[in-house]
Each structure stands twice: as C-alpha cells, then as structure tokens.
Amino acid sequence: MFAQTLSHGCSSVFKRKPIFQTFSTRIITNRRAAEQKCLSLLSSCNSLSKLTQIHAHLLKSGLQTNPLVLTKFSSTSSHLNSIDYAASIIVTSSRTHLIFDAFLFNTIIRAYAQTDQSKHSAFFFYNLMLSHSIAPNKFTYPFLLKASAGLEELNLTKQIHGSGLKLGFDEDLYVQNTMVHAYSCCVEGIDIARKVFDEMPKSSPVSWSAMIGGYLRVGRSVDAIDMFRRMQVGGIKGDEVTMVSVLSACADLGALQLGRWVEFYIEKERIPKTVQVCNALVDMFAKCGDIVEAMRVFRNMKERNIVSWTSVIVGMAVQGHGKQAVTLFEEMKSHGVVPDDVAFIGLLTACSHAGMIREGCSYFNLMTREFGIVPKIEHYGCMVDLFSRAGQAKKALEFVQKMPIEPNSVIWRTLINVFWVQGDLEISESISKSLIGDEPMHESNYVLLSNIYAKMFRWEKKSKIRSLMEKKGIRKVPGCSMIELNDQIYEFVSGDKMKQQYEEIYKMVDEMGREMRRAGYVPTTSEVLLDIDEEDKEDALNLHSEKLAIAFALLNSPPGAPIRIVKNLRVCGDCHSATKFISKVYNREILVRDRKRFHRFRCGSCSCNDYW
DNA sequence: ATAGGGTTAG
C-alpha cells in the first residue's frame, strides 16, 4: 500500500523507474531534488506506518541526517505516536552529528505542546536544545508557554517568563499574549496574568480575549465582564473570539440584558458570526432562560455542529422541557449529525429533569448499542439522578451497585439526598460519614450530614459537625441571588444588610409575607434546620437571599415586568412555595435559575411542577 | 513557523 501511494505521489517526476532505486541514485547526483521530494512525501504523510516506512527508506539513502527532513518529521502528524517517533529520531541523531537549529527544536516542541497527553516532553526538547547550545528564538517561547498553560504549572510558566525576560523576547506581542494566557490558566496565576496584561505597552483583541477567558476559567465572570467594559471604554473593538468569551460570561452570570447587547454589538460591528459565536449565543440565551431566543439563533444558523445541537438540547433540559429535548435529539440524528458523549449527557439530563424514566433508560442503552459510546461516570450520574428524582431510591441504589465503574462522590451525594428525602436517615447517615472520610475537605459533605442530624433532631451531633468544620477551616458557601436591573448586576446574600435600600427591602419582605399569608401561604419551617423556635424559623426563612432579591425587584421594576433571578445554590422548598404565591399576588412572572435548572413561576405555579 | 474561544451528570 505504501509503495503504491509513494509511486503514485512520484509519478509526475519519476516516471518509469521503481521508486526505491530512484531515491538512492538521485540522492547522490541531485541531493537537493531528493530532499524536496522527500519533504513533499512527508507533507502528505498522515500515519505512523507511512512515517516509519519513509524513514526506513531514508536510512538507506543517507538523508536522515538532514535537519530539514527531521523538522518535517516532527510536524507531519498530530498523533502522539508519530510525534514520539520523530522525537526518537531527533534524540538519536543529536547524539551523533549535525547542525540542528532552533527551527527543528521549535517544531518538535510545538508538536508536543499541542498534544493532550505529553506536554512535558516539550520541556525535554527545550533542555536538549539548550544542552546543544542552540539559542531559543522568539518562536520557542509561545510554544513552551502553551505547554505550560495546558499543564497548569505556575512555576513552569514563571521560569519560562524569566528566561524569556533575560533574552528580551518578552517584548514580542505574541509572547506577551501567550504569557497572559499561560498565567491565567492557573487560579493562582490569574492576578499575575493581569499584571503582565496591565504592563503591556500594546495590546490586541487576542490579549483581551486571553484575559477575559482567564477570568472565566477561574470562575471570575464578573471580572471578565468588567474587562469587556474596559474594552468598550477604551474604544477597543473585540473580535469573534472576544465575543465568545464575553457571551460565556453572560451565560455564567445569567446576564440576559448584557448578552442581548453583545448580540447587537456583533451585528453592529459586523463581527463574523462563526459557528462558535452562534453556539455561544445559543448557550447564552439558553442559560439565561430565554429558550425562544436560543431557538431563534439556532434555527437561523447556516451551519450547525454537534455543539450547537447539544447547546439547545441542554437548554431544553434545564427548562424541564424533556419532550422537546428528545425531539431535537432525533432531529439532529436525522440531519446525520452523530451524537457524542456530551450530547448524551444533555439528553439524559433532559429525561431526568422531566421525569422521563423510560426514555432515559432506553437512550442510555442506545448510546452504547448504536453509537458505541462507553458510558462515563457522568452518564451513570445522570441515571442515578433519573431514578432519584423520581423517588426511586432503591432502584438508584441497585443501579449504583451494578455499575461497572467505581461511583464517585457526586453519585454518593445524589443517593444521600434521595434517602434523606424519603426519610431513610440511617442509610443517608452511613453513606455521608464514609464520604467525609473520603473527601474531608469538601464542604457539601458536612452540610449534608449536618442536615441529616437536624432532621433526626440530633442537635448535639449537628453542632459537633459544625465545630469539626470550623476546626478544619471549612466554610459553608453562602446562598446568593443575583438580579440584573438597568445594566447593573445586584447580588444578595442571606441576611445581608446591603449598602442601599436595605430598610425598604426588609419592609417589603414583611409586606410580602402578609400578602402571601392572606393568599394561603404557610411558611415551611421544617426547612429551617436550626434548633430554634418556630417564630425565629420564619424570620430565618425571610432572610433567604431569594426573597430579598424578589423584594428588591418588586421595589425597583415597573408593575407587571418579569423578574429574573440567578442563584448559586438550589432553591429551597420554602422559597419555592413562597415564590409561587408572590407570582400570583403581585401578578409577576418570576424566572429563577438555580444551580441546576430553571423555575418559571406564573400565576401561582411553577414550570417544574414541583419536580426538582 | 508563533497567541485568545463554544456544549458536559449533582
């Protein structure tokens, strides 16, 4: 097969003679031509077997010593085994002879930097390069930084930064941009990235995108948005990559108004609406709860890929629209788009949120049977969630026991929760205890166990957990509700006396309570897992960040305007019930995005049908 | 030859 390809590839130059003979004779007489030929053969080489054959042939013909050829070897394939093969030739050759140059090393360094599994090898060749007294050039640093960024090795990045600094390559804009990116890949490096960014004499949209993307990666979406605002103020135009990052930040924060503005900006500035930009728009609208707009963008796309489909499917899933998610999935298949493991996670989530147990099970089986996808822990997680949400604790447990892979803490927590809901507190307690043993620093494990003890009225055990947490310095994540109003994002934390309007807000909360009671609301004091009397429990419920946010929205938005709230935790039972009453009493549509899904409250009921 | 980006169970 190789000989065929080779002779076919050579046919125009070497017409009659057999290929191997051609090579050896020509090399002696016309080395340069043979080199050229070999290089062009390597250009079309896309498998390890071809590579090894070309190499074997080269050995015969004496061309292996040529650095140019070796360079081509390294850049020829993105497959790890081909890169390793090229690497081994370079290592061997470097022991014996030759005039290696920076170009050669850059190529192999770049090849390794682009792999997922073997980025460390890039540094091996960097050191080999130095040991041969070959000076790195300005191209070497972006490659090294790329490798270091992927490894999330802050110290490595610092070292490269230092060496680049000494050689003066840090003045190159490319190097600076990659530097910002590499630093921003580590949570502890993000502020250094910002410092590098701030000290850059010049910047490009790439620099800004690197910074915005960095803030996004470490979960600082507010800072990401702030960077974008700074761009606007500075009159710097972003490009399509910037837009993708900014839209991602909007999606994360649930900032619909800003997201809409970004879409407008894309139109106005004629930023190319690439597939990725449209996918980001779809995802932004979906995560902001505007599934209609998400579908509009999706339907208008000229080209859609698996990510586009998955985005709308997940969008439907978080709205609890299981049927539509399934319909979209089937439509996707009929368009010839092959679902991947992520698409199945979306689909299974949709089934789980909508209580579609039968469909969920059948798709889970189909995934492996028809598409050969081996279920990952996430897929098993979806299934455990599917049974658990439907209250089938026993089935969920059986499923876990039959799983071929080890369940992880997410799955255990799902089980703890379902047994807790069903009042099977002993099982919950025992799983919970062993989980704390496995993950002693994970905050939610303690919260779960503490809730279990509260429900058992074992207050002394509960307070023990609390002091254990204190001793280990583990803090409960405070509940927080966000609301976007007139281009501003407001944050409310439970019981927080915020800077502005707090007296008015607390008054409003009281008024809401009275109006709700008149409509039949009864506070769910059993939700308050504290050893205090009933009246104090009611007060504690009123301090929940969600109620504060709603009060704030009622005070500051026109009557009848819909209210949109984004929470960092799941909505509690009492807030869920209260919000239903508020939607009716105040005649408002209230959309709450919780940690996992949307609740659309209208006229006294919720779109989740109390299934969440 | 060089840089930044979209979907993922609770």
Side-chain angles (χ1 to χ4, degrees):
Chain A
M1 193 178 93
F2 169 65
Q4 255 176 11
T5 324
L6 204 59
S7 54
H8 178 75
C10 296
S11 60
S12 56
V13 183
F14 309 112
K15 278 237 162 80
R16 263 156 291 166
K17 293 178 187 171
I19 184 65
F20 290 126
Q21 196 192 337
T22 310
F23 251 109
S24 37
T25 49
R26 288 285 168 123
I27 283 156
I28 300 158
T29 53
N30 191 350
R31 196 183 173 103
R32 189 169 290 258
E35 267 177 21
Q36 286 302 315
K37 190 67 230 159
C38 176
L39 289 176
S40 79
L41 281 174
L42 280 167
S43 303
S44 58
C45 168
N46 52 12
S47 75
L48 181 61
S49 63
K50 277 191 201 168
L51 195 64
T52 50
Q53 288 184 59
I54 295 178
H55 184 228
H57 185 62
L58 279 171
L59 285 176
K60 267 195 204 160
S61 55
L63 258 180
Q64 84 280 21
T65 55
N66 191 315
L68 244 180
V69 174
L70 283 174
T71 306
K72 204 73 189 176
F73 258 108
S74 333
S75 62
T76 249
S77 166
S78 56
H79 289 291
L80 186 57
N81 49 11
S82 297
I83 300 169
D84 284 340
Y85 187 77
S88 72
I89 305 173
I90 291 173
V91 172
T92 321
S93 313
S94 75
R95 287 203 205 102
T96 47
H97 24 253
L98 353 186
I99 349 108
F100 278 173
D101 59 356
F103 198 142
L104 170 78
F105 282 104
N106 285 350
T107 322
I108 190 82
I109 290 170
R110 177 179 61 173
Y112 274 121
Q114 282 169 352
T115 63
D116 287 334
Q117 310 97 322
S118 207
K119 290 181 193 291
H120 272 296
S121 308
F123 297 99
F124 171 83
F125 280 95
Y126 175 58
N127 288 326
L128 188 63
M129 179 179 190
L130 297 180
S131 75
H132 281 269
S133 307
I134 293 160
N137 62 22
K138 67 169 185 174
F139 296 109
T140 316
Y141 286 94
F143 298 148
L144 288 174
L145 286 164
K146 189 164 193 170
S148 154
L151 292 166
E152 296 177 32
E153 293 262 12
L154 185 59
N155 285 332
L156 218 44
T157 304
K158 282 182 180 166
Q159 275 177 35
I160 304 165
H161 189 178
S163 334
L165 217 61
K166 263 189 230 147
L167 296 168
F169 293 133
D170 63 310
E171 281 169 31
D172 186 280
L173 184 61
Y174 276 93
V175 177
Q176 289 169 350
N177 286 340
T178 325
M179 197 82 76
V180 170
H181 178 242
Y183 274 126
S184 79
C185 282
C186 309
V187 182
E188 322 83 63
I190 186 77
D191 293 321
I192 309 176
R194 181 58 186 269
K195 200 165 168 279
V196 174
F197 176 89
D198 284 340
E199 285 166 4
M200 283 168 64
K202 272 192 203 153
S203 67
S204 72
V206 177
S207 340
W208 288 88
S209 303
M211 208 52 235
I212 293 173
Y215 278 131
L216 212 53
R217 252 191 308 278
V218 301
R220 283 166 59 174
S221 300
V222 175
D223 290 317
I225 297 290
D226 183 58
M227 286 306 278
F228 181 58
R229 290 200 203 278
R230 276 168 203 268
M231 272 181 95
Q232 302 306 309
V233 172
I236 300 149
K237 197 182 141 184
D239 65 6
E240 70 267 27
V241 181
T242 324
M243 294 308 120
V244 169
S245 297
V246 173
L247 286 169
S248 244
C250 294
D252 186 41
L253 295 171
L256 181 60
Q257 288 174 25
L258 183 60
R260 280 196 185 123
W261 188 87
V262 173
E263 189 188 24
F264 178 75
Y265 180 86
I266 290 169
E267 295 289 341
K268 194 184 78 182
E269 298 290 341
R270 296 173 188 274
I271 293 166
K273 291 214 257 178
T274 59
V275 181
Q276 270 157 299
V277 168
C278 292
N279 287 348
L281 273 169
V282 169
D283 180 56
M284 180 276 294
F285 279 124
K287 294 239 171 78
C288 290
D290 201 333
I291 193 70
V292 177
E293 286 288 277
M295 283 307 289
R296 189 208 84 218
V297 177
F298 177 77
R299 291 291 177 207
N300 287 335
M301 284 171 75
K302 285 191 205 78
E303 219 188 296
R304 301 182 195 106
N305 60 16
I306 183 70
V307 178
S308 334
W309 288 96
T310 306
S311 300
V312 276
I313 290 171
V314 171
M316 289 298 178
V318 292
Q319 292 279 342
H321 297 160
K323 288 245 158 43
Q324 286 93 321
V326 167
T327 310
L328 279 165
F329 183 80
E330 291 301 329
E331 194 189 332
M332 173 182 85
K333 280 203 294 178
S334 72
H335 276 76
V337 178
V338 181
D340 61 3
D341 53 334
V342 184
F344 272 103
I345 292 172
L347 182 66
L348 293 175
T349 314
C351 293
S352 148
H353 283 305
M356 294 157 64
I357 300 180
R358 209 168 34 89
E359 290 88 342
C361 291
S362 99
Y363 278 119
F364 182 76
N365 294 326
L366 181 97
M367 172 169 81
T368 313
R369 209 181 51 234
E370 201 173 309
F371 296 96
I373 297 168
V374 179
K376 296 201 295 193
I377 194 77
E378 288 92 340
H379 300 103
Y380 290 109
C382 289
M383 296 308 283
V384 176
D385 188 52
L386 181 80
F387 297 123
S388 299
R389 275 175 202 270
Q392 301 185 9
K394 249 185 90 186
K395 213 155 175 193
L397 185 61
E398 274 168 26
F399 186 87
V400 170
Q401 283 161 344
K402 272 193 260 167
M403 276 169 50
I405 51 177
E406 201 59 30
N408 63 7
S409 59
V410 176
I411 289 180
W412 289 127
R413 276 193 284 273
T414 310
L415 282 177
I416 293 169
N417 211 35
V418 64
F419 282 111
W420 183 75
V421 168
Q422 297 197 353
D424 225 328
L425 299 175
E426 277 74 26
I427 298 187
S428 293
E429 185 193 359
S430 79
I431 306 177
S432 190
K433 274 183 174 166
S434 65
L435 200 50
I436 288 185
D438 292 346
E439 286 185 332
M441 289 315 281
H442 204 297
E443 167 258 343
S444 66
N445 295 336
Y446 294 88
V447 175
L448 274 173
L449 189 56
S450 149
N451 288 354
I452 292 163
Y453 287 140
K455 208 162 177 177
M456 289 170 141
F457 304 108
R458 305 292 298 267
W459 304 111
E460 73 296 342
K461 284 200 172 176
K462 185 184 150 91
S463 66
K464 253 192 192 162
I465 295 293
R466 191 161 284 245
S467 53
L468 190 65
M469 282 176 79
E470 249 165 60
K471 214 168 77 189
K472 299 198 174 189
I474 300 162
R475 290 191 56 195
K476 204 170 158 172
V477 178
C480 166
S481 296
M482 286 190 303
I483 196 159
E484 196 188 24
L485 215 76
N486 308 325
D487 292 339
Q488 279 288 324
I489 291 168
Y490 298 91
E491 264 189 14
F492 297 89
V493 179
S494 175
D496 183 22
K497 301 227 157 134
M498 57 294 282
K499 322 89 211 165
Q500 48 180 340
Q501 260 199 329
Y502 78 85
E503 281 179 15
E504 260 183 278
I505 288 170
Y506 283 105
K507 246 186 240 162
M508 189 65 199
V509 169
D510 282 340
E511 190 201 304
M512 275 159 41
R514 280 194 302 276
E515 295 289 332
M516 276 155 34
R517 265 167 228 260
R518 204 173 297 157
Y521 160 78
V522 181
T524 326
T525 47
S526 62
E527 288 271 343
V528 182
L529 302 170
L530 297 170
D531 189 17
I532 51 179
D533 64 45
E534 288 297 304
E535 210 166 297
D536 290 337
K537 284 187 179 179
E538 286 180 30
D539 287 344
L541 288 174
N542 281 338
L543 295 177
H544 281 182
S545 66
E546 190 175 322
K547 296 196 181 76
L548 300 178
I550 292 177
F552 177 78
L554 287 174
L555 283 168
N556 293 292
S557 63
I563 296 171
R564 299 175 56 261
I565 290 170
V566 177
K567 306 191 47 152
N568 65 338
L569 303 175
R570 303 226 61 179
V571 49
C572 87
D574 181 67
C575 283
H576 195 264
S577 147
T579 311
K580 283 198 273 186
F581 281 101
I582 296 167
S583 73
K584 193 168 159 189
V585 173
Y586 291 90
N587 192 28
R588 295 270 196 145
E589 180 180 318
I590 303 170
L591 186 67
V592 178
R593 183 178 93 180
D594 119 333
R595 216 181 149 68
K596 284 296 136 203
R597 61 164 293 159
F598 281 96
H599 301 264
R600 191 180 294 277
F601 298 92
R602 240 183 319 214
C603 311
S605 65
C606 177
S607 62
C608 78
N609 292 320
D610 304 333
Y611 187 84
W612 87 94

